[in-house]
Amino acid sequence: MNNPEPPATMTVEQAGRLLGISRGAAYRAAASGQIPTIRLGRRLLVPTARLHQLLGIAANEPPVPAAASAAGSDGGGR
């Protein structure tokens, strides 16, 4: 099956969900430069490729939202 290309940008909120942080924390990280952003008019967007590069995610590898990756872990390490 063909994997669709991810969108070129995502919202700060979407980046926050990907990182497993709150909306407010995502906007604070964007304001401090910890999350890469570009401004288009009044919109603050996160370049998907730069965020993936920052996280060490391959360009053709779909990211796993933080909540989904945590659900598969028992957290016990037993």
Side-chain angles (χ1 to χ4, degrees), residues 1-75:
M1 200 176 243
N2 224 359
N3 285 344
E5 287 290 320
T9 60
M10 65 178 76
T11 65
V12 174
E13 291 180 45
Q14 290 170 324
R17 281 195 299 272
L18 178 65
L19 295 167
I21 60 176
S22 71
R23 177 182 184 267
Y27 275 99
R28 285 191 299 276
S32 71
Q34 294 175 304
I35 294 176
T37 59
I38 57 172
R39 185 168 292 280
L40 293 175
R42 294 181 58 180
R43 294 191 68 192
L44 188 62
L45 299 170
V46 178
T48 304
R50 287 183 54 203
L51 183 62
H52 286 184
Q53 180 182 23
L54 179 71
L55 298 174
I57 299 171
N60 60 353
E61 179 182 330
V64 177
S69 63
S73 170
D74 67 0

